[in-house]
């Protein structure tokens, strides 16, 4: 019988293949040509999404750890930590892509135009900061996740087939939720602000082109095509994020995960990295 788990495996398989093809394409561009900053950002985003699929839920990496005969507790801590780091990197990278594109298309008379060359120069430093921040930000998760046991008195909250969140008092639970939500709201706010700015710039350009009777040239603009693609990525990411956020927050506060809801959450979490390579193909 075709179950929802088969859908998750198909989604993960398709997502990994699409992202692997795209990351090979970006590596070819980076090594063989003069890459644009957007190529570097998109390459990192694609790589992050591959790792997200491999560490997400009960798919692949957990089976690999079983072959190595690694005990469940270490396996859970490793997969959960890597998964959360990759989720944070996906958000940060999408935010950076949105910010860079907003700066790229801004008029030369604006204040943002001064940062065009600086962004290109410090792109590698931005990557290092993102990795360092997310590796350290999620380090506390190692202490609050472990192998799932059937003992009900432990008050564990089952998060995957083999892993669960360990009991924690309300102060720690509230602190983790507040800090994580603050980071996410800040990044989402930056994405929406830059996206709104890009929509305003595109609308202004379109009115100017209509006035000059050259709308066909505007439609062929690579900058406009890239901007529309990034806007689509941002809006889709924000939509999927809020669905995931509502499920995660509700389950975290109630300290209970329904198996069906958990499956839906996995599908939602993998939706963005699955769609991203298909959308990114339109930039190139």
């Amino acid at each position: 019988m075709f179950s929802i788990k088969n859908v998750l495996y198909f989604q993960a398989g398709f997502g990994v293949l699409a992202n692997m093809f795209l990351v090979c394409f970006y590596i070819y561009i980076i090594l063989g040509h003069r890459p644009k900053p957007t190529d570097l950002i998109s390459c990192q985003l694609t790589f992050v999404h591959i790792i997200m699929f491999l560490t997400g839920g009960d798919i692949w990496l957990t089976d690999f750890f079983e072959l190595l005969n690694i005990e469940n507790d270490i396996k859970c801590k490793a997969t959960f930590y890597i998964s959360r780091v990759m989720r944070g990197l996906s958000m940060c990278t999408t935010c950076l892509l949105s910010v860079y594109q907003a700066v790229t298309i801004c008029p030369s008379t604006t204040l943002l135009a001064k940062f065009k060359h600086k962004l290109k120069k410090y792109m590698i430093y931005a990557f290092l900061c993102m990795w360092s921040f997310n590796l350290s930000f999620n380090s506390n998760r190692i202490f609050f996740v472990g192998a799932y046991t059937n003992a009900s008195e432990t008050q564990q909250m089952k998060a995957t087939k083999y892993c669960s969140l360990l009991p924690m008092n309300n102060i720690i639970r509230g602190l983790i939720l507040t800090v994580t939500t603050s980071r996410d709201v800040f990044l989402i706010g930056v994405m929406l602000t830059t996206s709104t700015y890009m929509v305003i710039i595109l609308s202004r350009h379109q009115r100017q082109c209509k006035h000059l009777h050259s709308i066909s040239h505007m439609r062929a603009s690579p900058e406009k095509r890239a901007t529309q693609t990034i806007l689509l990525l941002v809006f889709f990411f924000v939509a999927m994020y809020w669905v995931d956020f509502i499920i995660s927050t509700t389950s975290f506060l109630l300290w209970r995960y329904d198996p069906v809801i958990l499956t839906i959450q996995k599908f939602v979490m993998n939706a963005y990295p699955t769609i991203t390579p298909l959308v990114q193909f339109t930039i190139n």
Side-chain angles (χ1 to χ4, degrees):
M1 185 176 178
F2 194 75
S3 64
I4 187 66
K5 190 169 184 179
N6 296 125
V7 175
L8 290 177
Y9 272 104
F10 174 80
Q11 183 190 42
F14 177 81
V16 168
L17 289 175
N19 280 283
M20 285 184 68
F21 179 82
L22 192 59
V23 80
C24 290
F25 173 74
Y26 282 125
I27 290 173
Y28 169 76
I29 292 178
I30 292 169
L31 296 179
H33 303 79
R34 291 187 62 184
K36 298 177 292 185
T38 50
D39 294 328
L40 298 174
I41 300 173
S42 297
C43 185
Q44 170 168 289
L45 184 63
T46 307
F47 172 76
V48 165
H49 287 166
I50 293 174
I51 305 301
M52 281 182 66
F53 278 118
L54 297 178
T55 57
D58 307 318
I59 301 175
W60 296 344
L61 194 61
T62 51
D63 297 330
F64 176 72
F65 281 148
E66 283 184 2
L67 292 175
L68 297 178
N69 199 28
I70 296 176
E71 62 180 84
N72 282 345
D73 197 55
I74 297 176
K75 175 177 65 178
C76 290
K77 290 180 185 298
T79 54
F80 195 82
Y81 173 69
I82 296 172
S83 177
R84 302 310 292 182
V85 170
M86 293 302 116
R87 180 183 178 276
L89 281 170
S90 176
M91 182 179 295
C92 290
T93 309
T94 304
C95 183
L96 179 61
L97 190 63
S98 178
V99 170
Y100 178 80
Q101 191 62 27
V103 173
T104 299
I105 68 169
C106 72
S108 57
T109 55
T110 61
L111 182 63
L112 285 176
K114 298 178 181 179
F115 296 97
K116 284 186 181 181
H117 298 294
K118 290 184 179 180
L119 275 177
K120 294 179 182 179
K121 183 179 179 181
Y122 295 108
M123 190 63 67
I124 300 300
Y125 297 106
F127 290 157
L128 291 174
C129 287
M130 279 193 294
W131 280 86
S132 300
F133 172 75
N134 283 283
L135 287 170
S136 59
F137 184 85
N138 294 281
S139 59
N140 63 83
R141 304 305 175 95
I142 297 174
F143 304 103
F144 298 108
V145 67
Y148 177 75
T149 63
N150 290 323
S152 58
E153 63 272 10
T154 60
Q155 296 182 343
Q156 296 179 354
M157 183 176 75
K158 190 173 183 181
T160 66
K161 184 178 179 181
Y162 302 107
C163 303
S164 65
L165 295 178
L166 301 177
M168 61 184 78
N169 63 51
N170 292 332
I171 296 177
I172 295 177
R173 193 185 307 180
L175 183 62
I176 291 175
L177 183 63
T178 301
V179 173
T180 304
T181 303
S182 299
R183 178 204 63 177
D184 294 354
V185 168
F186 172 76
L187 292 173
I188 293 291
V190 173
M191 288 186 215
L192 293 177
T193 301
T194 53
S195 297
T196 303
Y197 177 74
M198 285 189 282
V199 169
I200 293 172
I201 294 295
L202 286 180
S203 300
R204 190 179 300 166
H205 284 178
Q206 190 164 354
R207 287 197 300 269
Q208 291 174 350
C209 287
K210 283 182 178 180
H211 180 71
L212 297 172
H213 305 288
S214 57
I215 189 67
S216 59
H217 176 71
M218 177 61 188
R219 285 175 179 164
S221 168
E223 289 79 11
K224 180 186 177 183
R225 195 165 60 248
T227 302
Q228 289 175 332
T229 301
I230 293 169
L231 284 172
L232 181 60
L233 283 177
V234 169
F235 290 140
F236 188 76
F237 176 87
V238 172
M240 292 300 99
Y241 168 80
W242 283 115
V243 176
D244 177 43
F245 176 79
I246 292 170
I247 295 174
S248 298
T249 304
T250 304
S251 301
F252 192 70
L253 292 175
L254 297 177
W255 203 247
R256 182 178 179 273
Y257 251 127
D258 183 87
V260 176
I261 298 298
L262 180 60
T263 303
I264 294 173
Q265 185 185 19
K266 290 178 183 177
F267 181 82
V268 170
M269 287 176 64
N270 288 340
Y272 177 67
T274 302
I275 296 297
T276 299
L278 303 179
V279 176
Q280 284 183 303
F281 280 128
T282 62
I283 299 181
N284 305 286

